[in-house]
Amino acid sequence: EGTPYYAGAMGTVNTCTAQGFVKLMFTITVPTYYASLVLQAFMGIRNNFKEENYRWIEIPIHLVAYCIPCAIAIIIAVTDNFNPSGNGCWYGKAPRGCESDPNVACQRGQDLGYLHQVVPVWTMFLYLVFPTSVVLTMGCWMKKKRKVGPATTSCGMSIIREKARRGMMRRIYIQISVYLISFWFTWALSVAITLYHAFTGDFKYILHDVAQCINMSQGFVFM
């Protein structure tokens, strides 16, 4: 409340910090869990779905998914870097853009150094690089296994089991690929708006709100 240049602003510094904290937490946690889902599917296929061989990764997955985002959010919160930004609160100094304008003095927010680059780099890695690499590796590995084929000396039951196993691997691979495409789709409008704003200088606020709603639907898309 009382924030200049933001129509309809309400709340306090504390509520803004809380909103930014939760938003940042889940911005990192969601792609981390998705990346872990891809990794777990790959390890399941490599280990013939014997859970005892790869169940150990569950604890590290939960620790990474919550501890790293929480640590980053705490550092940003204690340095007063959760401030009004766009249609909500996000990390950055206040007033918005003060760090790049010598005529505007920053009233809140300490220097974070390279930490402010960790979030976009980490999310882009988990959204694009890691899952794509694992899916491609999974596809190449399955293609290689298909070329080898079942042993000619295998009995009828072994051949049936091998076909069933490969059918399961193919279905999981297709499902993971669909998840990956759906994951990217939830960000398509946001990327389009950002590029449009960068090239034209015009910001589409209504489309931005729609894009935020689509981004928030990620949890429903992957249930």
Side-chain angles (χ1 to χ4, degrees), residues 10-107:
M10 61 182 64
T12 64
V13 171
N14 291 336
T15 58
C16 184
T17 300
Q19 183 194 61
F21 189 98
V22 174
K23 188 176 180 180
L24 179 64
M25 275 282 298
F26 286 99
T27 296
I28 305 177
T29 300
V30 169
T32 301
Y33 267 120
Y34 174 70
S36 67
L37 174 65
V38 175
L39 177 62
Q40 191 169 20
F42 177 69
M43 294 189 68
I45 292 176
R46 288 297 302 269
N47 290 278
N48 293 321
F49 306 104
K50 296 179 180 179
E51 293 188 11
E52 61 273 13
N53 293 340
Y54 60 92
R55 189 182 296 133
W56 60 268
I57 69 172
E58 293 184 3
I59 294 178
I61 284 173
H62 292 301
L63 290 176
V64 170
Y66 284 105
C67 292
I68 292 179
C70 185
I72 295 175
I74 289 174
I75 293 174
I76 294 176
V78 299
T79 54
D80 297 331
N81 276 288
F82 282 123
N83 295 297
S85 176
N87 65 342
C89 294
W90 193 238
Y91 66 94
K93 295 182 179 181
R96 187 180 182 183
C98 65
E99 62 270 23
S100 58
D101 189 347
N103 297 320
V104 179
C106 294
Q107 301 175 5

Side-chain angles (χ1 to χ4, degrees), residues 117-134:
Q117 299 177 357
V118 170
V119 177
V121 171
W122 180 258
T123 52
M124 290 298 291
F125 174 77
L126 294 177
Y127 274 118
L128 298 176
V129 180
F130 182 80
T132 307
S133 301
V134 174

